[in-house]
Amino acid sequence: MPSPRPNPEAPSGPEIPEARMAALPQLRHWIAVPLLAAVLIAAAGLALRFIPALTSADMSVDAELSHDHTPPLTGIALFINAVFSPPGGVLMIAALCLYLLLVRRSPVNAVATGLVAAGGWVSSELFKVVVARHRPDSTALFNPLIPEPGTDSFPSGHTALAAALAIALFLLARGTRWQRPAAVLGVLLVVAVALSRVYLGVHYPTDVVASFLTAATGAAFVTGLWNRFGLAMLRRIPFLAKLGPVPAPQA
């Protein structure tokens, strides 16, 4: 008996705009590669912590920028500091997910976007605990703006949040006319946040560089998890199917 022909009017999950993120691009070895990257990042962070010459070179950049503060740049940096703070990050991710879920009626896109953004961001917090690098010494700065003592310098959580959001939004826009603008604006946003952290004197340059890597590492691992378990998990929540299409997992 011949098998039934597929209905051309019922596209598969990835072709449905509301389920564009049902399948995300992922690394072939999505566990091993992020794990290796995490080990290398942690090793680099520990080297920066325990080799004084490296921190001295980092600190010279912060000290130089501390002499060049201007009211407009300071205002922008302080604004970024507030927006990309932990409460600001939670609010931005939650607002984006609720918009996709309730307005765009896209539960798949909402959950995938939220997981990628949160995963890339939260990964930075794990490295902070492992590395425990001291923040720049505010007494060595000509004009310390917001002294922040502590051992959570590596990497920058603000920059990791911006990078994770940029990755999530690029994946959301992938394959649409918004892909290129999302990529360009994402890069500009991440660079602006990174520069603001060094300008304020609360992070070393190597901290913000590491933030790009930690966000990408966390996002790479999350995309693998999502592709393997995401749709099956969503289909266990019947409420979501009432808000928008939730395709069946592909074999």
Side-chain angles (χ1 to χ4, degrees), residues 9-79:
E9 295 181 0
S12 60
E15 296 174 347
I16 305 172
E18 293 80 8
R20 182 180 298 113
M21 299 182 74
L24 297 176
Q26 71 171 63
L27 297 173
R28 180 176 180 181
H29 302 288
W30 60 271
I31 297 177
V33 172
L35 180 60
L36 176 61
V39 171
L40 294 176
I41 293 169
L46 291 171
L48 290 167
R49 175 185 172 186
F50 289 111
I51 300 178
L54 298 177
T55 296
S56 296
D58 256 355
M59 190 65 201
S60 65
V61 177
D62 290 69
E64 182 65 27
L65 286 176
S66 183
H67 286 81
D68 298 323
H69 291 164
T70 64
L73 289 178
T74 299
I76 293 172
L78 292 175
F79 175 76

Side-chain angles (χ1 to χ4, degrees), residues 138-161:
S138 60
T139 62
L141 300 176
F142 176 76
N143 181 25
L145 295 171
I146 49 170
E148 290 190 17
T151 56
D152 56 348
S153 187
F154 183 98
S156 162
H158 286 63
T159 309
L161 169 59

